[in-house]
Amino acid sequence: MNWRAIHQLLPFFSRGDAIGNLALATREVLRAWGFQSEIFAELWEPVLAKECRPLEVYRSRPDNLLILHYSVGGQSNRFVLNVPDRVVVWYHNITPPRFFYAVNGDLARRLQDARRDLALLANKATAMADSAFNQDELTQIGFRVLGVVPPILSFDHLRASDTMREARAASNWLCVGRIAPNKCIHDIIKAFYFYHARIQPDSRLWLVGSDEGMAEYARALTRLVARLSLDDAVVFAGRVDRVGDYFRNADIYISMSEHEGFCIPLVEAMHCDIPILAYASTGVPDTLGGVGVLIREKNYSMIAELAHQIISDTSLRARLIARQRERLAAFAPEIVRAHLRACLERAYQKDTVNRFGIRSNGEINGSRNF
Amino acid sequence: MVQEISDDLIEIHDPEINAAEIMAHIREQIAQRRKEQGRDQRVFPSFGGTAYPGEPTDIPYDPNLYHHLRLANETFANVETAAQLPATRATQLPIFGALWVRVRAYLHRIILFYVNRALTHQVNVNRHLISVSNQLTAANQNQHRQIRALESELASLRAQKER
């Protein structure tokens, strides 16, 4: 592997965002391996201004490898079509736009654009996926997939203090992630309603995550909470600096999400020894890899009873946590780094596509589309 | 709303945990709580706009109504707001051309800022209007079905009376 530099490109570089964190962690790894490595972005949060460079100043070179983080539409997705660099798409999945028509039309449009541009990239770039679910999608589109590389995770930010002890209820549900319709926070609230009203009144649901760009959805959730008289029991914590405190405080981690490419909070819950109850959709079963409890239907009273069982049955809880600890080993930094290295080495092997769409290995590019 | 709980509703991939036993226990618990606290008949509000109801298969319908309603649902958020800045003779002039490209792009960005704000508002209004149309169409379908059921009941009652 003899790249001059391995750079990363993303449309929006944000603090606390899974892809932003991944870009930073990947840059550290690449630099440790001796490569020149920078992060280029179209837009960035001011606090990250020193960590990235504008897309406009990127200098293309055929001996550069450019990793494009792919999850949403943007200028960068089309920019890479016209550069001489070898391009690898790191696919984090694209949330279906239908989730956002009602709350953020602009985002819905950008997701539609992302889906359209991804098909164009299949002829230009190879790809890595962060889960088997994402890999299947790439294969169907016609990408040559280099392999599955889960996010490089650091758990340093999960160190907890004791500051939340007083806010603790007897039972605490936790969900971490953006307040967005695909995460189906409304379903968590409905299941929690049954738990709080019929099983354990001394309980609290902690919802940790930003609602930026999702004001309409956040308002609908607040109305739902008020209508169910859960104002004192449901906490919208927003984006927090010390998420470890919330994990430490939790008795169960719950996900009702209907679209996830990977879902990092599930791994964080494994790290913090919080048993997981999740709706089996999209990338969630791959990330859990057979641990935790998956549900196939959203029956709220059943979910409440199941959560109660997981919280109160100590032997069940201990067994679930033990299995989660085993699963956590698959996401150890040294293992993920090895996957990343293997994929980048595969990308280095000559793979060209001629103007007839035929790869150097004789395979017809994108043939799985037909 | 009462939901039935099927046997394969949960997945636990661990030979040491008996998922069937857990489900049986949960069913018992739910039955016990219903006995003690009564059934919770709460109907939760559905979130967001009402979805396109789809063409009915069991009652006659106006194809035009569903055609337009479907297109309205699919397109109400597709608003093109990107700048269109093709090259012109002026942009190709030496020195002045480059300056003009920058000024023109800047002016477009200012205009688009206000246009997008107005469009966001309009898309929200459209969403509410389409949601109401969807809901009325769905209600119309249900009423049509009820009328059909009442008509057939009436017909059978008339037939009984005539006998």
Side-chain angles (χ1 to χ4, degrees):
Chain A
M1 196 159 61
N2 197 19
W3 302 109
R4 192 188 69 89
I6 303 180
H7 297 305
Q8 297 175 85
L9 176 57
L10 60 164
F12 184 59
F13 189 28
S14 164
R15 179 176 63 96
D17 164 69
I19 297 174
N21 289 344
L22 174 60
L24 285 169
T26 305
R27 187 183 62 182
E28 292 314 305
V29 170
L30 294 170
R31 284 181 177 173
W33 287 343
F35 294 105
Q36 279 184 52
S37 185
E38 299 293 344
I39 296 168
F40 292 86
E42 289 168 43
L43 295 166
W44 53 89
E45 280 191 291
V47 71
L48 291 170
K50 286 185 182 164
E51 301 289 349
C52 69
R53 295 183 183 185
L55 171 64
E56 290 78 17
V57 304
Y58 182 73
R59 294 276 170 266
S60 301
R61 284 180 62 128
D63 51 354
N64 276 358
L65 179 73
L66 186 56
I67 297 173
L68 172 66
H69 291 276
Y70 206 97
S71 68
V72 73
Q75 191 192 338
S76 46
N77 300 343
R78 292 210 159 212
F79 170 81
V80 299
L81 287 170
N82 300 311
V83 295
D85 315 44
R86 187 73 62 86
V87 177
V88 172
V89 170
W90 198 340
Y91 185 53
H92 310 296
N93 216 294
I94 303 162
T95 309
R98 67 184 160 85
F99 285 110
F100 300 100
Y101 287 140
V103 293
N104 189 332
D106 186 49
L107 177 60
R109 207 161 41 247
R110 289 184 67 198
L111 294 166
Q112 275 174 343
D113 290 349
R115 188 64 69 181
R116 184 195 58 213
D117 292 345
L118 187 62
L120 298 176
L121 278 168
N123 288 326
K124 159 81 183 178
T126 50
M128 309 187 287
D130 47 18
S131 68
F133 170 73
N134 293 352
Q135 185 183 27
D136 288 347
E137 271 199 20
L138 288 170
T139 310
Q140 278 170 17
I141 293 164
F143 272 96
R144 178 181 162 233
V145 184
L146 302 167
V148 174
V149 184
I152 302 166
L153 299 174
S154 154
F155 299 114
D156 294 346
H157 65 293
L158 296 178
R159 271 193 227 110
S161 65
D162 237 359
T163 51
M164 286 183 61
R165 186 181 281 179
E166 283 170 19
R168 247 187 84 84
S171 297
N172 298 274
W173 291 27
L174 174 68
C175 177
V176 177
R178 203 156 53 110
I179 303 291
N182 61 305
K183 308 275 183 190
C184 296
I185 309 290
H186 49 284
D187 286 328
I188 299 178
I189 293 171
K190 289 172 189 177
F192 179 73
Y193 161 77
F194 276 95
Y195 184 74
H196 184 76
R198 295 173 79 88
I199 301 173
Q200 173 55 281
D202 187 8
S203 53
R204 202 154 284 160
L205 167 60
W206 302 86
L207 298 167
V208 178
S210 164
D211 63 2
E212 207 176 312
M214 300 289 152
E216 184 117 2
Y217 183 57
R219 273 197 294 275
L221 293 179
T222 312
R223 282 198 298 271
L224 177 64
V225 164
R227 188 167 163 170
L228 298 175
S229 307
L230 292 173
D231 306 69
D232 295 335
V234 176
V235 181
F236 291 93
R239 187 154 81 173
V240 299
D241 288 329
R242 301 187 62 90
V243 71
D245 292 348
Y246 292 85
F247 274 105
R248 182 185 173 130
N249 198 34
D251 298 295
I252 188 165
Y253 185 88
I254 187 143
S255 164
M256 290 290 118
S257 179
E258 292 186 5
H259 188 272
E260 294 291 343
F262 182 82
C263 196
I264 289 172
L266 294 176
V267 184
E268 291 175 334
M270 290 178 203
H271 175 81
C272 296
D273 285 344
I274 313 296
I276 297 165
L277 172 59
Y279 180 60
S281 91
T282 53
V284 171
D286 287 333
T287 302
L288 288 180
V291 305
V293 178
L294 283 170
I295 54 161
R296 292 210 192 96
E297 268 176 46
K298 291 186 180 177
N299 179 318
Y300 305 121
S301 54
M302 188 280 295
I303 294 167
E305 288 292 348
L306 190 53
H308 177 57
Q309 184 88 351
I310 293 169
I311 292 169
S312 58
D313 182 336
T314 47
S315 64
L316 172 64
R317 186 182 170 81
R319 179 66 193 165
L320 289 172
I321 289 172
R323 295 260 295 137
Q324 288 179 188
R325 276 187 199 154
E326 288 167 24
R327 172 64 179 156
L328 192 61
F331 304 108
E334 61 278 12
I335 291 179
V336 176
R337 281 198 294 265
H339 284 304
L340 177 64
R341 179 121 201 162
C343 282
L344 297 181
E345 273 168 8
R346 265 176 237 139
Y348 188 69
Q349 290 155 14
K350 281 281 176 204
D351 174 66
T352 53
V353 181
N354 70 16
R355 68 195 175 93
F356 302 108
I358 298 172
R359 291 189 183 281
S360 52
N361 63 5
E363 192 180 297
I364 298 173
N365 194 46
S367 57
R368 276 161 287 196
N369 273 336
F370 298 99
Chain B
M1 192 162 62
V2 179
Q3 290 174 294
E4 292 306 318
I5 301 174
S6 59
D7 275 340
D8 58 351
L9 210 141
I10 64 170
E11 279 178 46
I12 304 177
H13 300 274
D14 185 342
E16 288 188 25
I17 298 175
N18 188 336
E21 208 173 84
I22 290 173
M23 284 308 296
H25 180 69
I26 284 171
R27 275 196 212 91
E28 272 173 31
Q29 288 289 310
I30 290 175
Q32 180 74 19
R33 281 186 223 285
R34 279 180 185 161
K35 210 167 148 186
E36 288 167 7
Q37 304 172 12
R39 271 182 196 276
D40 193 312
Q41 302 286 14
R42 182 174 290 276
V43 176
F44 291 111
S46 61
F47 162 72
T50 310
Y52 174 63
E55 293 85 344
T57 51
D58 54 338
I59 48 174
Y61 66 90
D62 177 359
N64 274 331
L65 167 70
Y66 285 90
H67 171 71
H68 292 300
L69 188 61
R70 184 171 49 77
L71 287 181
N73 273 275
E74 285 172 5
T75 56
F76 77 91
N78 299 344
V79 187
E80 182 60 60
T81 54
Q84 302 287 333
L85 297 166
T88 64
R89 205 174 286 172
T91 61
Q92 285 156 10
L93 291 171
I95 305 169
F96 174 76
L99 183 68
W100 175 235
V101 165
R102 293 181 82 113
V103 171
R104 195 171 64 146
Y106 183 70
L107 289 173
H108 271 76
R109 274 207 297 274
I110 292 174
I111 293 163
L112 282 175
F113 172 77
Y114 290 104
V115 167
N116 280 330
R117 265 174 47 160
L119 279 175
T120 304
H121 177 70
Q122 188 58 50
V123 166
N124 278 332
V125 173
N126 293 350
R127 177 168 52 79
H128 292 304
L129 291 175
I130 288 166
S131 187
V132 168
S133 300
N134 289 340
Q135 204 155 2
L136 287 174
T137 309
N140 181 270
Q141 281 184 12
N142 288 336
Q143 283 172 355
H144 204 131
R145 288 189 186 99
Q146 278 174 354
I147 290 168
R148 286 195 114 194
L150 289 170
E151 278 174 347
S152 76
E153 203 178 325
L154 187 65
S156 75
L157 286 171
R158 274 189 184 141
Q160 275 179 21
K161 196 181 167 191
E162 280 168 13
R163 261 185 248 142

